[in-house]
Amino acid sequence: MIGVMAFLVIAGPRFLDPTNVAWLVGGDPLQHYLGWAFYRNSPWTWPVGLNPLYGMEFSNSIVFTDSIPLLAIPFKAISQFLPYPFQYLGIWVLLCFVLQAYFAFRLIGLITTSIAIQCLGSIFFLFSPPLIFRLSLHESLMGHFIILAALYLNLKPITESTEAKKKYLHSLAWIILLSIAVSTHFYLAVMVLALWFADLCNRVFVKKSSSYKEALLENALLISVAGFIAWQAGYFAIEGASGATRGFGDFRTNLLALFNSRGWSYWLRPIPLQDVVEAANGEGFQYLGAGSLLLLLSTIFAVIKGGFNLSHSLGRAWKSYPFLISTLIVLALISFSNHIGFGPWNLRMPLPEFIIGLLSIVRSSSRLFWPIYYTILLAILYVLIRSYSVKNVLILLGIAATIQVVDTSAGWLLIREKVSLSTSDQFKTALQDPFWKNAGKHYKNLVTTGGQENWEQFGIYASENQMASNIAYLARADLNKTLQSFSAVNQQLHQGPINRETLYVFQDWKNSPDQIKYDPQKDLLARIDRVNLLAPGWKACTSCIQVPQELELNQLAPILKLGQVVDFTKSGNGRANFMLGGWGFAEDWGTWAIDGQAKVILPMPEGGPSRLIIKANAFLSKNHPEQVVDIAINGIRLADQMVLKNAKDNLIEVKLPKGLKTPGEPLVIEFRSLDAISPQAVGFGPDERKLGIGIVAIQFSR
């Protein structure tokens, strides 16, 4: 009941409605849902967790959309009986709160037999900021009850005299728990595996309750069962090199994280963070809450007053659970990473590259702190119960629990508002034209030429129409397969033949500027709801609605006119529409080249232009009075060693190569800044970017 009440207070009853998708407005929760939505429409595979419709050639599995295989697989089996849409994330979150309360109750029950203390103590585990923070962000990572269960199995008394049946049940419990963790989320599986190994070593070497033979048998069974489930869920759907990632040290736990409210308190001000990555995300959020901190102060008071022998208790804990404590220390160290933060101060300790690469498998290492977090909570309750009378403990817990709920509401009330403000069984989408609904019935696939822009709206559209799509947001993907998939789509469009069962959408013309091969008498090239698309056979289809002629396109590239100024300032569209790699962000005056080679792509206008006029700035200083630039168009060098001597408004005229006549034909203009230098190098501030030529505007001229 306590878990249900906590769920209703924090998430609200609307969140439980499986047809309510109003709160799935984007980001990770929508990714989790879309993984499931495509999976329910996919044919059964072996392994069963593969998700072939989502990503198509580079698809992998529901594991890499964090769609909780534990629920996705059984719900897929009964999918035909479920409404559409159907999301089980609300059911999962309710289950997490109920089981969080249950295992917190059991853990505290190892310390006291008082039901009242167990109930009040469970509130601190339920109103745990790191748990609630994941609501509407990473619901699969709300399975903190799995960590509590692992701690319970470590602390539950199993001795040499324990009867054999209970020992076997204990081993079976670990196998079931790790299987659940593997079927929920990779990081939970890592933590449970570490805690299981600590318990196994403790039973073999400390408690002597398991023999070497029994330990080896348990190890073989557990690894075999967990490995089989991981295989079936789809963990091995991508190669290890593709599954690996970088970034260890960016998402770590600050040493003061337990005391940093980060906006989750009305009374405690957040500790300022200077690291940009740490300040911008909540991965290292480990705030205890004002109620838990009050209990911590009460335990410190008890130790100082002599009501609790701390050194004796620590000695007993080490003697009884050396492997658990060692494991928690290792997890904490990995969580802190080599990029150590102490409030606003940071220190990065160098590690060999292969170690960084290995640890980057758990690059969000802050999550590994959760077992330590809950151990600290349990230790606080242990000291309180051992130091004060039952009456005083109940008074302290009652006051602190009230403070905990009220204090943390500074954070969770905003989440509640987000997930329960409205209900709807329809997604909001910008694809409103009747064409889309008709096309969803006509085509089997929805593909793009590259990139994952607008994956949200295209993912919703494709899943609702039971289409396969390569516009997929996956946590990890095989890069080679991804590139091959986009390459195959581009080959169909530029060399033919196009797939008649596929609807093509073009994310950005400049990344695929070549003319496409299609039959304008039969195929529809159009811009509908601000989306450029090719619908094969649409004009020849008798059951397809006709698209107004003004929406049709003759080419994908934007149409430029002779003399038209392409503006690369912050207020213009040149940076977004025509710049390729090598450029910085658009500024009020224009855009700097920040690489030795920076490229612009422009479509040839009508009217037979013969030259380009480029308005450019140069980054100059007293010791760097000029800038030298080479310019090439379509690989032909047209301006060698051009010297820019003015900081502003340099005018460069470049003759176009002969043979460029076709309107819409792409021109790739390459700027090579031969002596780029950073503002930092000339004493103009901390900017380390090497600034080359700065483009203000470009226009075609006769």
Side-chain angles (χ1 to χ4, degrees):
M1 282 300 295
I2 298 177
V4 174
M5 290 174 64
F7 169 84
L8 293 174
V9 168
I10 295 169
R14 290 180 176 179
F15 188 72
L16 191 58
D17 181 359
T19 63
N20 178 22
V21 294
W23 61 278
L24 296 169
V25 292
D28 290 330
L30 183 58
Q31 178 206 33
H32 307 159
Y33 168 79
L34 287 177
W36 147 250
F38 278 91
Y39 180 63
R40 73 179 293 187
N41 296 330
S42 298
W44 283 104
T45 60
W46 189 262
V48 296
L50 300 185
N51 199 3
L53 294 187
Y54 197 44
M56 300 175 69
E57 289 84 359
F58 62 88
S59 66
N60 42 58
S61 71
I62 48 174
V63 166
F64 297 106
T65 52
D66 289 346
S67 300
I68 315 176
L70 182 68
L71 297 183
I73 294 172
F75 276 124
K76 178 181 172 68
I78 59 171
S79 178
Q80 60 181 320
F81 305 110
L82 301 177
Y84 195 95
F86 176 85
Q87 55 87 9
Y88 47 74
L89 296 177
I91 298 171
W92 165 251
V93 172
L94 173 61
L95 185 65
C96 288
F97 274 104
V98 170
L99 292 177
Q100 181 84 350
Y102 172 76
F103 283 107
F105 188 90
R106 295 296 298 271
L107 270 172
I108 301 170
L110 296 175
I111 306 171
T112 179
T113 58
S114 170
I115 301 297
I117 291 177
Q118 289 172 259
C119 290
L120 283 173
S122 299
I123 293 174
F124 299 92
F125 291 83
L126 287 167
F127 284 83
S128 156
L131 168 69
I132 306 171
F133 176 76
R134 298 291 162 174
L135 183 59
S136 83
L137 182 64
H138 301 126
E139 286 77 19
S140 58
L141 285 171
M142 290 190 71
H144 287 204
F145 70 88
I146 297 172
I147 300 170
L148 299 188
L151 290 173
Y152 176 76
L153 289 176
N154 266 275
L155 299 174
K156 183 182 178 182
I158 296 289
T159 63
E160 192 173 359
S161 60
T162 302
E163 58 184 86
K165 182 180 178 180
K166 288 186 177 180
K167 292 180 183 179
Y168 294 140
L169 289 175
H170 188 85
S171 298
L172 179 61
W174 272 117
I175 293 173
I176 294 172
L177 184 62
L178 183 58
S179 299
I180 292 172
V182 169
S183 302
T184 302
H185 199 283
F186 169 73
Y187 279 88
L188 294 173
V190 169
M191 287 179 267
V192 170
L193 189 64
L195 293 172
W196 160 75
F197 187 71
D199 180 59
L200 182 65
C201 291
N202 213 57
R203 282 180 281 136
V204 172
F205 299 109
V206 179
K207 297 179 181 178
K208 309 293 184 182
S209 61
S210 296
S211 65
Y212 291 112
K213 182 179 179 180
E214 289 170 335
L216 288 173
L217 178 61
E218 180 179 329
N219 178 75
L221 284 172
L222 184 137
I223 298 300
S224 298
V225 172
F228 175 78
I229 290 174
W231 170 52
Q232 284 299 308
Y235 276 87
F236 311 127
I238 60 175
E239 297 179 1
S242 299
T245 182
R246 306 294 291 177
F248 179 74
D250 289 336
F251 309 105
R252 42 66 157 139
T253 296
N254 193 290
L255 293 176
L256 296 182
L258 292 172
F259 312 102
N260 192 353
S261 66
R262 299 188 71 166
W264 276 62
S265 175
Y266 295 109
W267 303 300
L268 294 178
R269 297 182 63 183
I271 299 172
L273 300 172
Q274 297 299 322
D275 182 80
V276 175
V277 176
E278 182 181 18
N281 72 85
E283 278 297 336
F285 183 53
Q286 315 283 9
Y287 178 50
L288 278 171
S292 296
L293 290 175
L294 175 62
L295 295 183
L296 177 61
L297 290 175
S298 300
T299 62
I300 294 172
F301 180 79
V303 171
I304 293 174
K305 287 293 186 178
F308 184 82
N309 191 329
L310 182 61
S311 60
H312 175 71
S313 295
L314 289 175
R316 285 183 57 194
W318 175 256
K319 185 177 180 180
S320 301
Y321 305 103
F323 292 101
L324 174 60
I325 294 172
S326 299
T327 297
L328 293 175
I329 291 172
V330 171
L331 290 175
L333 291 175
I334 297 174
S335 174
F336 298 143
S337 83
N338 65 316
H339 186 193
I340 301 170
F342 187 83
W345 298 282
N346 296 279
L347 172 66
R348 190 177 290 274
M349 301 175 63
L351 287 176
E353 275 298 311
F354 81 94
I355 296 293
I356 294 293
L358 182 64
L359 291 174
S360 289
I361 296 173
V362 287
R363 68 172 188 150
S364 296
S365 62
S366 62
R367 300 169 183 176
L368 302 186
F369 189 79
W370 294 339
I372 298 94
Y373 180 95
Y374 289 114
T375 300
I376 290 171
L377 266 185
L378 189 64
I380 290 172
L381 293 175
Y382 177 84
V383 176
L384 278 178
I385 293 167
R386 292 291 182 266
S387 303
Y388 298 97
S389 66
V390 172
K391 180 181 177 180
N392 288 338
V393 169
L394 288 173
I395 293 172
L396 277 171
L397 289 179
I399 295 172
T402 303
I403 293 174
Q404 182 79 3
V405 173
V406 174
D407 178 58
T408 56
S409 70
W412 58 256
L413 277 177
L414 296 176
I415 296 176
R416 178 188 170 89
E417 181 180 355
K418 177 181 177 181
V419 302
S420 63
L421 186 61
S422 62
T423 59
S424 175
D425 60 357
Q426 299 290 325
F427 285 101
K428 293 181 180 179
T429 176
L431 306 180
Q432 295 295 323
D433 193 277
F435 164 84
W436 295 105
K437 186 175 182 179
N438 198 200
K441 300 175 182 178
H442 187 73
Y443 297 103
K444 292 183 179 179
N445 310 308
L446 175 70
V447 303
T448 186
T449 52
Q452 303 301 336
E453 291 87 358
N454 298 315
W455 63 268
E456 299 97 331
Q457 70 174 4
F458 290 126
I460 292 168
Y461 172 73
S463 66
E464 286 180 339
N465 291 282
Q466 300 187 23
M467 305 166 76
S469 179
N470 73 346
I471 312 173
Y473 174 32
L474 302 170
R476 300 184 186 185
D478 189 316
L479 180 59
N480 290 331
K481 287 184 179 180
T482 303
L483 295 176
Q484 290 171 9
S485 173
F486 292 139
S487 176
V489 172
N490 280 290
Q491 185 174 354
Q492 290 175 18
L493 291 167
H494 303 312
Q495 299 178 24
I498 56 178
N499 188 332
R500 296 289 162 181
E501 295 183 331
T502 297
L503 176 63
Y504 298 87
V505 297
F506 303 91
Q507 302 279 37
D508 198 334
W509 81 275
K510 66 185 181 183
N511 293 321
S512 183
D514 296 335
Q515 295 292 329
I516 62 174
K517 293 187 177 182
Y518 72 106
D519 185 347
Q521 301 301 316
K522 297 180 180 179
D523 307 325
L524 173 67
L525 182 65
R527 182 173 178 82
I528 302 175
D529 289 331
R530 304 181 69 179
V531 176
N532 294 336
L533 60 90
L534 175 65
W538 190 264
K539 292 182 179 180
C541 171
T542 57
S543 62
C544 300
I545 63 173
Q546 294 306 304
V547 172
Q549 191 170 4
E550 61 266 23
L551 297 180
E552 293 191 38
L553 300 174
N554 294 319
Q555 64 181 49
L556 288 176
I559 297 175
L560 294 182
K561 296 179 180 179
L562 193 67
Q564 178 182 342
V565 175
V566 180
D567 185 355
F568 294 92
T569 67
K570 196 173 185 179
S571 60
N573 63 1
R575 176 66 182 90
N577 289 346
F578 304 106
M579 280 184 163
L580 298 174
W583 300 97
F585 53 85
E587 301 180 41
D588 291 336
W589 61 267
T591 305
W592 287 116
I594 58 172
D595 200 336
Q597 297 181 359
K599 296 180 179 180
V600 171
I601 184 169
L602 295 173
M604 191 76 167
E606 294 181 347
S610 61
R611 60 196 174 116
L612 280 176
I613 299 176
I614 303 169
K615 185 178 180 181
N617 288 357
F619 180 69
L620 306 178
S621 69
K622 183 178 180 181
N623 297 322
H624 187 253
E626 58 185 36
Q627 197 162 79
V628 181
V629 181
D630 286 350
I631 301 176
I633 296 180
N634 289 356
I636 302 172
R637 186 174 294 180
L638 300 175
D640 287 341
Q641 304 285 309
M642 181 165 287
V643 179
L644 306 181
K645 296 185 177 182
N646 299 319
K648 296 181 178 180
D649 300 334
N650 296 278
L651 290 180
I652 306 170
E653 290 192 14
V654 180
K655 289 186 177 181
L656 296 176
K658 294 180 180 180
L660 293 174
K661 296 181 179 180
T662 307
E665 184 176 351
L667 278 71
V668 178
I669 309 164
E670 181 179 341
F671 298 89
R672 295 185 180 182
S673 303
L674 303 182
D675 56 352
I677 193 169
S678 70
Q680 186 186 62
V682 295
F684 284 2
D687 191 348
E688 298 179 352
R689 298 177 302 163
K690 289 188 176 182
L691 304 182
I693 188 172
I695 302 299
V696 180
I698 300 177
Q699 67 181 127
F700 287 93
S701 176
R702 283 200 181 98

